[in-house]
């Protein structure tokens, strides 16, 4: 991936009469569009879960807070070791 574009390479081959034939497929996808679609699907699933009484949105938000706290601790540990931390 580079510059928001995801490149996928697939290689396939077949043999006919002792001759190998190769097929190469190189696919480019705009990662921003893929990410937006994934976020929309996840939001829909949370709404569906909330409608079924699973508290999906609440659990998602708790997970965000826990992840942020864990990342902060990991960054502090990295700095204490003398590692450099790249801001997001």
């Amino acid at each position: 991936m580079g510059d928001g574009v995801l490149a996928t390479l697939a290689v396939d081959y077949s043999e006919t009469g002792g001759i190998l034939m190769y097929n190469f497929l190189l696919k480019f996808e705009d990662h921003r569009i893929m990410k937006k679609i994934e976020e929309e699907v996840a939001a829909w699933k949370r709404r569906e879960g909330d409608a079924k009484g699973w508290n999906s949105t609440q659990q998602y938000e708790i997970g965000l807070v826990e992840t942020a706290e864990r990342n902060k601790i990991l960054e502090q540990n990295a700095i204490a070791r003398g590692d450099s931390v790249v801001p997001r």
Side-chain angles (χ1 to χ4, degrees), residues 15-67:
E15 183 178 353
T16 305
I19 299 173
L20 287 174
M21 301 291 293
Y22 290 90
N23 293 313
F24 297 89
L25 174 64
L26 184 56
K27 181 171 65 170
F28 296 95
E29 299 173 274
D30 188 335
H31 189 66
R32 294 168 296 193
I33 293 171
M34 291 171 46
K35 186 171 179 158
K36 181 180 176 189
I37 291 170
E38 289 171 357
E39 289 172 354
E40 289 173 357
V41 169
W44 175 81
K45 286 181 179 181
R46 286 192 299 273
R47 286 192 303 272
E48 289 292 310
D50 289 343
K52 293 177 182 177
W54 298 343
N55 297 325
S56 299
T57 300
Q58 181 182 8
Q59 290 179 14
Y60 170 75
E61 291 170 352
I62 289 170
L64 289 177
V65 170
E66 290 173 349
T67 299

